Amino acid sequence: MIKRARLIYNPTSGREEMRRRLPEVLQRLEGYGFETSTHMTIGGGDATLAAAEACRRGFDLVIAAGGDGTINEVVSGLAEQPVRPPLGVLPLGTTNDLARALGIPRAWDAAIDLIAEGHVRAIDVGQVNQRYFVNIAGGGSLTELTYEVPSKMKTMLGQLAYYMKGFEKLPRLRPIRMQVTSDEMSFDEEFMIFLIANSNSVGGFEKLAPEAAIDDGMMDAFFLRRCTLADFIRLASTVVRGEKVQDPLLIQFQTKRITIQSPDYVQLNLDGEFGGTLPCDIQVLPRHIGVFVDPTGRTSYHKPNSSGVVLHAGGTPGAGFAPGGGTTSNGVDVQS
């Protein structure tokens, strides 16, 4: 049975790897029996429109190739559709938080092999006002650096570009007064930064939210109270070392919904992209999108094919993938 795939790709992601690899990518998908058409993004929001159109045209799956910003746009396009095909991910960005959280291989060929295995896992999606995020929503001056780093710098320097921008902004960090309300707690005080995590990978740090699960119907909230620059650097160093942060300066809790307001102008960061400004209402949409993952749960972002996924180059995909089989009508796997 022929499967129709829509490949939405960002030509500038991953040091322009997709632009160079496109013929090989299409050939590998063809070998697995995927009839693939492509859409190259041309600007902000374009991937969202393309993903929504793919739903309306009845594609069996959508494949997003790019960084977290591209993945965010594709998920945003899928999220509001009544029928949502499963999502394949080719992680070609600088950080690739979703791929890290789900163990999707960094190598594009291994990621395609995983898609061909056909196992779909339903994941939560965060909604902020009328926008969406998969990994992280944040606010505070430091969260702005991810969309302030020029794309050419990211292409040349990778994640080092973020560190350079972060050091540049550190002296200008300032506390912001916020009013926070959720079912679990409410508070009104000054914070340096806040992060609402949907997965355990935040900005490439896989232990910042170690208890966060991408399919538990909950979000992990972190609010850093007003502190000195020395305290901020101390806490940031703990995160960089991969240690769990336990400090009275940090408020941590899980929630399904949270409202944040501020008298100040505060920009929001959604998966590394500009997401509007406060005030905002953030809620979780449980198990809203289906994503192709390793059925054994052992494939690593860092070590492609460590799970022993069978490669069928030039052959047929594993029996796990069948459009309309093993999934709900909106493409979300009911067995994961």
Side-chain angles (χ1 to χ4, degrees), residues 289-320:
I289 297 287
V291 181
F292 291 104
V293 299
D294 170 28
T296 71
R298 294 196 303 270
T299 295
S300 168
Y301 169 82
H302 306 283
K303 297 179 180 179
N305 296 325
S306 62
S307 69
V309 172
V310 177
L311 307 184
H312 307 277
T316 58

Coordinates of all heavy atoms in Angstrom, one line a residue, residues 289-320:
I289 N -0.8 15.0 19.6 CA -0.1 14.8 18.3 C 0.6 13.4 18.4 O 1.2 13.1 19.4 CB 1.0 15.9 18.0 CG1 0.3 17.2 17.9 CG2 1.8 15.5 16.8 CD1 -0.5 17.4 16.6
G290 N 0.6 12.7 17.3 CA 1.3 11.4 17.2 C 2.6 11.6 16.5 O 2.7 12.3 15.5
V291 N 3.7 11.1 17.1 CA 5.1 11.2 16.5 C 5.7 9.8 16.4 O 5.6 9.0 17.3 CB 6.0 12.1 17.5 CG1 7.4 12.3 16.8 CG2 5.3 13.4 17.7
F292 N 6.4 9.6 15.3 CA 7.1 8.3 15.1 C 8.3 8.2 16.0 O 9.2 9.1 16.0 CB 7.6 8.2 13.6 CG 6.4 8.0 12.6 CD1 6.0 9.1 11.8 CD2 5.8 6.8 12.5 CE1 5.0 9.0 10.9 CE2 4.7 6.7 11.6 CZ 4.3 7.7 10.8
V293 N 8.4 7.1 16.8 CA 9.5 6.9 17.7 C 9.9 5.5 17.6 O 9.2 4.6 17.0 CB 9.0 7.3 19.2 CG1 8.6 8.7 19.3 CG2 7.9 6.4 19.6
D294 N 11.0 5.1 18.3 CA 11.4 3.8 18.4 C 10.5 3.0 19.3 O 10.3 3.4 20.5 CB 12.9 3.8 19.0 CG 13.4 2.4 19.3 OD1 12.9 1.4 18.7 OD2 14.2 2.3 20.2
P295 N 9.9 1.9 18.9 CA 9.0 1.1 19.7 C 9.7 0.5 21.0 O 9.0 0.2 21.9 CB 8.5 0.0 18.8 CG 9.5 -0.1 17.7 CD 10.1 1.3 17.5
T296 N 11.0 0.3 20.9 CA 11.7 -0.3 22.1 C 12.0 0.8 23.1 O 12.3 0.5 24.3 CB 13.0 -1.0 21.7 OG1 14.0 0.0 21.3 CG2 12.8 -1.9 20.5
G297 N 12.0 2.1 22.7 CA 12.3 3.1 23.6 C 13.8 3.3 23.9 O 14.2 4.0 24.8
R298 N 14.7 2.6 23.1 CA 16.1 2.6 23.4 C 16.9 3.4 22.4 O 18.1 3.7 22.7 CB 16.6 1.2 23.5 CG 16.1 0.3 24.6 CD 17.0 -0.9 24.8 NE 17.1 -1.7 23.6 CZ 16.2 -2.7 23.3 NH1 15.2 -3.0 24.1 NH2 16.4 -3.4 22.2
T299 N 16.3 3.8 21.3 CA 17.1 4.6 20.3 C 17.5 5.9 21.0 O 16.7 6.6 21.6 CB 16.2 4.9 19.1 OG1 16.0 3.7 18.4 CG2 17.0 5.8 18.1
S300 N 18.7 6.3 20.7 CA 19.2 7.5 21.3 C 19.4 8.6 20.3 O 19.9 8.3 19.2 CB 20.6 7.2 22.0 OG 21.2 8.4 22.4
Y301 N 19.2 9.9 20.7 CA 19.5 11.0 19.8 C 21.0 11.0 19.5 O 21.5 11.4 18.5 CB 19.1 12.3 20.5 CG 19.6 13.6 19.9 CD1 18.9 14.1 18.8 CD2 20.7 14.2 20.4 CE1 19.4 15.3 18.2 CE2 21.1 15.4 19.8 CZ 20.5 15.9 18.7 OH 20.9 17.1 18.1
H302 N 21.8 10.6 20.5 CA 23.2 10.7 20.4 C 23.8 9.5 19.7 O 24.9 9.6 19.1 CB 23.8 10.8 21.9 CG 23.3 11.9 22.6 ND1 23.7 13.2 22.4 CD2 22.4 12.0 23.6 CE1 23.0 14.0 23.3 NE2 22.2 13.3 24.0
K303 N 23.2 8.3 19.8 CA 23.7 7.1 19.2 C 22.7 6.5 18.3 O 21.9 5.6 18.7 CB 24.1 6.1 20.3 CG 25.2 6.6 21.2 CD 25.6 5.6 22.3 CE 26.7 6.1 23.2 NZ 27.0 5.2 24.3
P304 N 22.6 6.9 17.1 CA 21.6 6.4 16.1 C 21.7 4.9 16.0 O 22.7 4.2 16.0 CB 22.0 7.0 14.8 CG 22.7 8.2 15.2 CD 23.5 7.9 16.5
N305 N 20.5 4.3 16.0 CA 20.3 2.8 15.8 C 20.8 2.0 17.0 O 21.1 0.8 16.9 CB 20.9 2.3 14.5 CG 20.3 2.9 13.3 OD1 19.1 3.1 13.3 ND2 21.1 3.2 12.3
S306 N 21.0 2.6 18.2 CA 21.4 1.9 19.3 C 20.4 0.8 19.8 O 20.7 -0.1 20.5 CB 21.8 2.8 20.5 OG 20.6 3.5 20.9
S307 N 19.2 1.0 19.3 CA 18.1 0.0 19.7 C 18.1 -1.2 18.9 O 17.3 -2.1 19.1 CB 16.8 0.7 19.7 OG 16.4 0.9 18.3
G308 N 18.9 -1.2 17.8 CA 18.9 -2.3 16.9 C 17.7 -2.3 15.9 O 17.2 -3.3 15.5
V309 N 17.2 -1.1 15.6 CA 16.1 -0.9 14.7 C 16.6 -1.5 13.3 O 17.7 -1.3 12.8 CB 15.8 0.6 14.5 CG1 14.8 0.7 13.3 CG2 15.2 1.1 15.7
V310 N 15.7 -2.4 12.8 CA 16.1 -3.0 11.5 C 16.0 -2.0 10.4 O 15.0 -1.3 10.2 CB 15.1 -4.2 11.2 CG1 15.4 -4.8 9.9 CG2 15.2 -5.2 12.3
L311 N 17.0 -2.0 9.6 CA 17.1 -1.0 8.4 C 16.6 -1.8 7.2 O 17.1 -2.9 6.9 CB 18.5 -0.5 8.2 CG 19.1 0.2 9.5 CD1 20.4 0.7 9.1 CD2 18.2 1.2 10.1
H312 N 15.7 -1.2 6.4 CA 15.2 -1.9 5.3 C 15.5 -1.0 4.0 O 14.6 -0.8 3.2 CB 13.6 -2.0 5.4 CG 13.2 -2.7 6.6 ND1 13.2 -4.1 6.8 CD2 12.7 -2.2 7.8 CE1 12.7 -4.4 8.0 NE2 12.4 -3.3 8.6
A313 N 16.7 -0.5 3.9 CA 17.0 0.3 2.7 C 16.6 -0.4 1.4 O 17.0 -1.5 1.2 CB 18.4 0.7 2.8
G314 N 15.8 0.3 0.7 CA 15.4 -0.2 -0.6 C 14.3 -1.3 -0.5 O 13.8 -1.8 -1.5
G315 N 13.8 -1.5 0.7 CA 12.8 -2.5 0.9 C 11.5 -1.9 1.4 O 11.1 -0.9 0.9
T316 N 10.8 -2.6 2.3 CA 9.5 -2.2 2.8 C 9.6 -1.9 4.2 O 10.4 -2.4 4.9 CB 8.4 -3.3 2.5 OG1 8.9 -4.4 3.2 CG2 8.2 -3.5 1.1
P317 N 8.7 -1.0 4.7 CA 8.8 -0.6 6.1 C 8.3 -1.8 7.0 O 7.6 -2.7 6.5 CB 7.9 0.6 6.2 CG 7.0 0.5 5.1 CD 7.7 -0.2 4.0
G318 N 8.6 -1.6 8.3 CA 8.1 -2.6 9.3 C 6.5 -2.6 9.3 O 5.9 -1.6 8.9
A319 N 6.0 -3.7 9.8 CA 4.5 -3.8 9.7 C 3.8 -2.8 10.6 O 2.6 -2.7 10.6 CB 4.1 -5.2 10.2
G320 N 4.5 -2.1 11.5 CA 3.9 -1.2 12.4 C 3.2 0.0 11.7 O 2.2 0.5 12.3

